[in-house]
Every structure is written in C-alpha cells, then in structure tokens.
Amino acid sequence: MSAHVIADDAEALAAAASLAAEFRTGAAARDAERRLPRAELDRLSASGLLAVTVPAEHGGADVAALTLAEIFRLLASADASLAQIPQSHFAYVNVIRRQGTDEQRKFFFAELLAGRRFGNAQSEAGTKHVQDIRTRLHPLPDGSYRLEGVKHYSTGALFADWIPVLARAGDDKLHVAYVPSDAPGVTVVDDWDGLGQRTTASGTVRLDGVEVPADRVLPHHLTFEGPQLHGAVAQLLHAAIDTGIAGGALAEAAEFVRTKSRPWFESGVDTAAEDPLLIQRFGGLALQVRAAEALLREAARAVDRAQADLTDDSAAEASLAVAAAKVSAAQAAVEVASALFEVAGTRSALNSLNLHRHWRDARTHTLHDPTRWKIQHLGRHVLNGTRPPRHGLL
C-alpha cells in the first residue's frame, strides 16, 4: 500500500474538505443498504489523512489538535459512520507516541505513512463496567505472549491492517498489543446491529491463542501515571463527530425546506423558507450548532496548549474543555437531527429519503460515554477545584 504524505495543517484540512464532499454523495445509500465503505476508507488512507499525527521527526505533518478535530468534524458532517471508523486509529497512534520505544515508533510510524490502518479491540461485553478488561496477555518463556479474549464494539477492526488490543498482562496492568488483522487466531466478525452508524462494522473480535512478539506490546498503564492527554484527544474526536452530525443535519434540513417543503397555509407566505416561525426555529438550531463548533475549537486549542506545556493543571484544563465541548456537541447532534423532521414536515419522514440516519447516528454515537459524568466533573472543578480523573475517558 502507498499513500500520499501530507505536509502541513493547511493541506490536511483541504484534503478533508475534498473527501467530505466526495463522501457526502452516496452516504444515505450506503447507510440504507448497509454497504460497508471499503473503497472510501481506501481513499482516506491514500490521501494521507490517517498519518497526519505522525511526528515531524518521523516524516509526518504532526498537525495540531485543532486541525485534527476539524478533519473529523468535516468527515462526520458528510458521513458519521465513515468518520467514526478512524477515531480509535488516532487514539492508538497516540499510545505509540507516548509509550512506544524508538524502534516501535520507527516501525509503526512508517506503517502509518504507508497508509496502514489501525482498528480497535478495546471494549468487552458482560463485564462489571467498561474498564473491567478481562482479555489476557499470557507471558511465554521466550518473552513473547499468548493473547486470549473476546472484544465487542470493535470499530475499525474489520477494515484494519493492525488491531490494537487492550489487555491485561501478568502484572494485571493494562497493555496494548498491536496485532496484524490476519494473524492466526484472530477472527473479526461483522455482527454489528446498531440502529445508527450502521456501516462502522463495530462488531466482535475473537482472540484465540494469538502469538504476540514482545516488541508489539506497549505499557498503556504508564499513560495515566502522570499528566496526560490520551483521554482528552480521544474525546475531542468524539465531540467533533457529534458536532459534524449536528451541522450535517442542519444543512440537510435547510436544503429540504428550501426545495421540498410546503408552507403552512396560515403563514401567508409563498415558500416554507419564508415562514417566520420556521426561520425562528432554524435560528435557534443554528445557535446550538455554532455553540458546539465554538466549544470544539476552544477545546482543541486547550489540548494544543497542554501539549506545548504538559502539567497537571494544563492537562486538567484540556480535559474539562473537551468535556464541555462533548456535552454541547451531544446535545446539539440529538436535538438538531430530531428537529429536522419538525421543520421539514411530513414528507421528510419517508423511509426512502433516509433522513432519519442523522438522528440514528447521533443517538447511537452519543451513547459512547455518558455526558452526565462530564457535567459532574465540570461541577466538581467549579465548586471544589477538583481535577478530573486520569482514566482515558475524559
């Protein structure tokens, strides 16, 4: 596989805008038919966008968090499923940046620059809670490992070259094993049955006696032993996806009202777009989208500031800024995607138009982690100065 190498932030944003316009065409049909976006992901890989966080000393653009968030917002405004697929990719690139050895960084960054994709085998079903990880890396006499476990919600794994697997080693601490998707013992099952984000293929990964060399395992637990931005960056991308969904739904609602909706007979106007009550409602929805976009940008800037000077305080401020952005984005995505039907009228509910994909995507993606806990941490900080915890989900 070969890929273009993006030089800087401006080129990355231009590539994302171009691909978003391309992916928007056909997004509704892909969702309706549950047609997996393999060709589109190949275009994404070839564009070089999946390698934009590779450090400059390894040949990458090392773009700002502000740029990365905007890339995801643009892609999600076109196709929320397609934007969701590489979210974990970038989270596990960050693990290599922070915990990889020189040799591990050299190897994997070269893979990324060549267009290789990371998937994800992180979450497990039926455990006590989301951080109750039971997948195990069993140490072998030669220093390698045998990997055993079952993962769910494995977004990106079906399309990946490498599957980062979150597992506990002999010390019971969290590690990440980077496993080739075609390694013996790896089975990726396309059994995702979500009402939204239908084409993410967020199904099951089974790991049966997978042999993992020692140099493909990274000590993820060390990430959280000091000030860190792992959770903030991962959540920033989730916030960007929700913000993109909200903006995409608003744009499609406006286009529908301008071109297809009929005015209510009591309004006394010739077109639905002239109805003062609809205008007022669209204004309110636009405020929500603008607020989400503004908080997303501010959160990304807070992450960039913290990356330049990482301390307990700067990391906490970045996490709190991202938490605020995520809450606003989730609320905007669900409300705007739902209001689409209210403002567009009865015809917009036709299944053949598939406008409900925006709401289904929003409702599904915003379940990723509860915003009520983000509000809790914001309140604790305001009242008591309590820094948010270091657990990777904030």
Side-chain angles (χ1 to χ4, degrees), residues 26-65:
R30 283 193 298 273
D31 175 271
E33 300 164 11
R34 199 177 178 274
R35 177 158 36 89
L36 300 182
R38 296 181 185 277
E40 289 76 14
L41 282 170
D42 286 344
R43 292 276 293 119
L44 191 62
S45 293
S47 75
L49 281 174
L50 296 183
V52 293
T53 58
V54 170
E57 59 267 29
H58 288 272
D62 201 7
V63 302

Side-chain angles (χ1 to χ4, degrees), residues 19-31 35-37 40 72-86 197-200 241 244-245 248 357-358 361:
L19 284 177
E22 178 183 323
F23 296 160
R24 185 170 288 108
T25 302
R30 283 193 298 273
D31 175 271
R35 177 158 36 89
L36 300 182
E40 289 76 14
F72 272 79
R73 189 196 69 81
L74 287 167
L75 293 175
S77 71
D79 185 334
S81 287
L82 195 48
Q84 176 63 33
I85 291 169
Q197 294 198 302
R198 288 176 171 174
T199 62
T200 58
I241 291 168
I245 292 171
R357 74 185 185 282
H358 298 291
D361 286 341

Side-chain angles (χ1 to χ4, degrees), residues 208-279:
D208 300 308
V210 180
E211 296 180 6
V212 184
D215 62 357
R216 296 294 178 260
V217 177
L218 279 70
H220 191 35
H221 60 95
L222 296 179
T223 300
F224 307 103
E225 292 186 1
Q228 53 82 35
L229 296 171
H230 180 80
V233 172
Q235 291 294 306
L236 180 71
L237 302 187
H238 284 305
I241 291 168
D242 288 338
T243 303
I245 292 171
L250 183 64
E252 191 147 8
E255 177 65 15
F256 194 95
V257 168
R258 282 193 297 265
T259 60
K260 297 181 177 65
S261 296
R262 297 183 297 179
W264 184 245
F265 71 96
E266 292 179 284
S267 66
V269 297
D270 293 330
T271 67
E274 298 172 288
D275 184 333
L277 298 182
L278 275 182
I279 289 172

